[in-house]
Amino acid sequence: MSVKFGTSGLRGLSSDLVGEPSSLYTAAFCRHLIESGHAEQGAPVLVGQDFRASSPKIAARC
């Protein structure tokens, strides 16, 4: 598994994002939104996905 973070966000094979990497990234991103004042605790968040086979599993973890 090789997940990296670049200037455009999280990078890696979509299959490498299934499971813990997507959970950790989501938690960190939500914490950032709250701490920066862009969202409040408990605010709704939309999760999108595409047609890759890994998308439903990644979206479910998020």
Side-chain angles (χ1 to χ4, degrees), residues 36-61:
S36 65
H38 293 291
E40 295 180 8
Q41 185 80 27
V45 176
L46 300 178
V47 176
Q49 63 185 55
D50 58 24
F51 295 109
R52 287 176 274 199
S54 57
S55 283
K57 290 180 181 177
I58 292 171
R61 288 292 292 241

Side-chain angles (χ1 to χ4, degrees), residues 20-43:
E20 189 176 29
S22 57
S23 296
L24 293 172
Y25 183 79
T26 301
F29 183 69
C30 289
R31 188 173 328 117
H32 166 74
L33 290 175
I34 292 167
E35 291 176 359
S36 65
H38 293 291
E40 295 180 8
Q41 185 80 27

Side-chain angles (χ1 to χ4, degrees), residues 6-19:
T7 56
S8 298
L10 193 61
R11 293 287 177 243
L13 295 176
S14 60
S15 59
D16 288 343
L17 302 178
V18 173

